[in-house]
Amino acid sequence: ETILVYKLPKLTREEIKHMIGVQDIDLRQTRFYQDVFTEGRQEGRQEGERIVLQRQLERKFGPLDAGMQQRLSQADADTVLMWSDRILDARNVDEVFAPVS
């Protein structure tokens, strides 16, 4: 699976199926497809959470500076969730981004 992904990145699903002689398999049922699909959904959800948090921060506190935008874009899912909780009670943006004590 990994070899196909890295060695044939520009081929379509149909081209790969034809090349390896597989005609009657539904690639959506393969473990590889399911793993990629699940990972893509998770990444999309996390990106959506970052976007919503950024919108909330900007609405409540005004535009974010470049450093805060970078911290938000690089934050892991748990950190984004923590910041999302903090925004409810924060009086300023620094309280949202404050380190965990």
Side-chain angles (χ1 to χ4, degrees), residues 46 50 71-83:
Q46 289 173 355
R50 284 187 189 96
R71 284 184 68 189
L72 183 57
S73 70
Q74 295 175 345
D76 62 35
D78 291 335
T79 302
V80 171
L81 182 60
M82 177 184 63
W83 291 340

Side-chain angles (χ1 to χ4, degrees), residues 26-63:
D26 183 1
L27 292 178
R28 291 175 290 180
Q29 300 303 319
T30 64
R31 181 176 175 188
F32 173 75
Y33 182 90
Q34 295 296 324
D35 289 348
V36 169
F37 183 74
T38 300
E39 183 179 316
R41 286 184 65 170
Q42 181 178 359
E43 289 174 5
R45 185 173 34 253
Q46 289 173 355
E47 182 61 25
E49 291 170 353
R50 284 187 189 96
I51 290 169
V52 169
L53 178 57
Q54 181 171 347
R55 289 185 66 189
Q56 290 173 333
L57 287 164
E58 289 176 344
R59 177 142 186 199
K60 188 170 182 176
F61 304 117

Side-chain angles (χ1 to χ4, degrees), residues 11-34:
L11 293 180
T12 66
R13 184 173 76 208
E14 289 76 25
E15 290 170 324
I16 292 172
K17 284 170 61 174
H18 178 71
M19 184 181 72
I20 61 176
V22 176
Q23 299 302 323
D24 60 347
I25 189 170
D26 183 1
L27 292 178
R28 291 175 290 180
Q29 300 303 319
T30 64
R31 181 176 175 188
F32 173 75
Y33 182 90
Q34 295 296 324

